[in-house]
Every structure is written in C-alpha cells, then in structure tokens.
Amino acid sequence: MLSQWESSTNASPGPSAFKTQRQHARARARTHARAPTHQVRAHEQEPPAAAAPRDAMGAFSRQRFFQELTLGCLLPTAQQGLEQVWQLLVICLLCRLLWMLGLPPFVKHLFTVAGGFYTLYLFFELHMIWVVLLSLLCYLFLFLCRHSTIRGTFLSITVLIYLLLGELHMMDTTNWHKMRGSQMVVAMKAISLAFDLDRGVVASVPSPVEFMGYIYFVGTVIFGPWISFNSYKEALEGRKLSFSWLFKVSVSWVKSQVCLVISNCVAPYLFPYFIPVYGDKLLRGWLLAYENTMSFHFSNYFVGYLGETTSTLAGAGFTEEKENLKWDMTVSQPLNIEFPRSMVEVVTSWNLPMSRFLHTYVFKSALKFGTFSAIMVTYTASALLHGLSFHLGAVLISLGFITYIEHVLRKRLAALFNACVLSKKCPPDCTHRNKGKLWVCVINVAFSALAILHLTYLGSVFNSSVDYMEEEEDDVTHHTIQKWSELSWTSHWVTFGCWTLYRLVL
C-alpha cells in the first residue's frame, strides 16, 4: 500500500520557545498597529456595509498598519529567530567539521552525544533528564531483548506507555509538552532501530555509545526530522564540504525565516489588510479559520525548514548515486499542502520523514489486519506520539476517515469513468482513457477545493491566541468543539456525504 495514509498533523518537533516568541511578536504588532486605529481586525467588528464609508481612512490605516507591523513584528521575529538557534547552528557546524578529521568512530559518537546533551540543556535545561531517561530505557530494552524477533512491536508499546505516564504522572503537563518534540524524535529513532533489527536491515544491536550518538545526533535532536540509523552512520563518514551543501543550508535557513515571519506577522492579519476581503458573519468565521490555518501551516514549514538546515549543516540529509552526492533532504512540501490535489497528498507532504516512518514501521506492520484498520492504527499511533491532546487527536482521527473515504471514492470514480481522478496524480503512461478532458479537470479541481475546505476546518482549532501548553485539557476540548460548531461541523458532514456517494456508486 502506498504511503499516502500517514501524517503528522501537529507542528513538527521543536521547542516551545518559538511559540512564546510568536505570541510576544504578535502582541507587539497588535499593540503598535491598534494604537493609531481601531481597525486592525475591522472585519470581525463591523458589517461589510460599514467598509465603504471608511475607504479614505482605511487606506491610511492600512499604510500605518504595515509600518507598525514591520517594526513591531517582522524585525523582532527575525532577530529572535536567530537568537534562539545560533548556538545550535554553531554546534552543528562544529560537528560537521569534526567528522572530516578522520577520527575513530567511537570518538565521533562521543562528540555527537556531547553536542546533543549540550543542545538539549540549552533548550530544556534540567528537564532534559526525561529525554535521557527515555533513551536509556530504549537501549536497556533492546539489549535485554537482543535475541527476540519482535522487538519493534514491544518497544513501541513500551515507549508509548512511558510517554503517557510521563504526561499524566511524572511531571506537570506544561513542561512535558515543551519537550514533546524531542521526545518524539527519540521515540521514533528507537522504534525504527528496533524494527530494522527485527528485519535484518541493521545487523546487530549497536554499542551504547553508538546508540546514544544516533539518538542525540545534534542535527535532529531538537527540531527533527527523523532519520534512520544507517543515515546517521553515513553522516558520520564526513563528506567533503561543497557549494551544493552550503547552498542547501542557506536556502533552507532563508525559507525557515520567511515561513516564521509569515506565520507570525502575515497570516494573523491576512484579511482584510493583505487581502481586502470582507463578508457577513458566516464568511468572517471562515476567513478567521483560514487565517489560523495559514499561521499553523507556516509554523510547521518553519520547523521543517529549520530541521533541514540543522540536519544538513551537521552532515545528514543526502543521497548518493554513482559518486554523485545530492544534498536533497526535504521535510515539507508547502505547495502540495496549500494547493492540494487531495487530502491524501496533504498528509504525505506535511512531514515526509515522519510519513515514511509511519508507513514503514506502523502501517506495514498493521496491514495484516486490513487496510482500513491499518490506516486507523497509523493515525492513532501518530496521535499517541504527539501526546494526550484532544485537539490533535480529534484532527488526526478525522484525517484518517477523510483520507480513506476520499481515496476509495476517487478510486471508484476513476474506474467508473475510466479517468485520471485518483487521489494521487497518474503517471503519464497510465491506462485511463480520459486524461486531460475538461470534465476530468473539473472533478479534480472540485476535490482540490474540498481539500482546502477540510484544511481550513481542521486548522481552525489551532488558534494562535490559545496556548495549548498552558490551558487545561477541558478548555482545549471546549475550544475545539466550539470552533467546529461555529463552522457547523462542515468537514465532517462533507465526509459523510462523500461516504454516502461512494456507497451509492459502489
């Protein structure tokens, strides 16, 4: 089965400091912008009819708004973005240079562990002990069960129990959530290694220092992404510095900062200041939901591109074909998400490394229970890895139903009309008779529009004004239900309608 069923709908692994930074930057922007005018969010306060008499003042307000936004949000966001990670970037570069010195592998692993420990302390201080405990637990399990052939399954259960107990009993939820990204990276690395040992991809249990080097690889320990054990070993071989490597690092860094600025300073004010669209109460609700969705999306892209930067800077994230080295690590594909062909394409493009992890180690293992069961197990596993959060669980489980129903419906329509309307784009040599006809394009565009609707609806719960780390779970649950109620549960009703249509044409 294709890896189209997996996703990581939560923002990718990363420290909570950037969330606080985004809230402070937005607060400054709102304070500066609202001081000269009360129109910053005029579309939420006045009906459309009131917009016309305010054209002259509106132009002045918009101009003043952009000036204040630059000083109060754009510049502080870029500055703080660099302040938060410059030490991490330096450590990644130092490790990259060390790999090239021809040191013994044992010494390289030690330097990796030291760099990872120092980085964890920079971001989490003494709370990093919980990440260390998880890694020790995983290695102890692998060592004690080194002769077993089902280590992957049992270690997965053990890790999930540890994560759930940690969130519920070991420490307060707020501090636990701050480390959730790094906990996820450690968990996925250990689980993938266990499955690779079962399948013979990795010959034997690594030594303790080799295992810890992989777990605490400085390029991925904070922002991810997940990489395999063999990819880590290839990174330590120390490829030569090249222009393509430097270009990849630079481009990923610039993209990460652009996405951070858009998430902080553009998306929250998209309507009507950047796009002058007004509307009645219903339309304003959807416009606000789209703003929240855009802010959440670009926050994810920021972490994804930052993960590309750190992992590539540390020497990982390349492919090699016939002595041709390509630094081509890709975490997210924003164009496939903002202009989707289908929701199936969205969930695979959201976080490509995690999608591969879920497909390889969860979906394939659960496929013996049936396709639909494997899909739901995959999304449930993703939800548990992200922690006990109602809004994330609700979004992920909803995605499971949405992507499955969309896939089977479009598969049925493709067979019925002999047309290229599948969830994933057909290859040029496919056997469908109807390819580029107008009505085929209309069907595909309609499903693209549905995907945007689903994304807006699901993303509406990720409100930038709500701190999910500080809020009680009951408040988060109430917020999620309230947001979807305000949008009349549209996405769920549309999904039910698609399932009904599928049953009718079956």
Side-chain angles (χ1 to χ4, degrees), residues 5 362-363 366 370-383 396-404:
W5 302 111
V362 181
F363 181 79
T371 302
F372 178 74
S373 298
I375 293 167
M376 299 313 298
V377 168
T378 301
Y379 279 97
T380 301
S382 179
L396 284 165
I397 298 303
S398 297
L399 271 173
F401 285 100
I402 290 170
T403 52
Y404 175 74

Side-chain angles (χ1 to χ4, degrees), residues 43 271 277-279 282-292:
H43 66 290
F271 305 106
V277 175
Y278 301 85
L282 178 61
L283 179 57
R284 289 200 304 272
W286 280 97
L287 293 178
L288 180 59
Y290 189 75
E291 286 179 343
N292 291 336

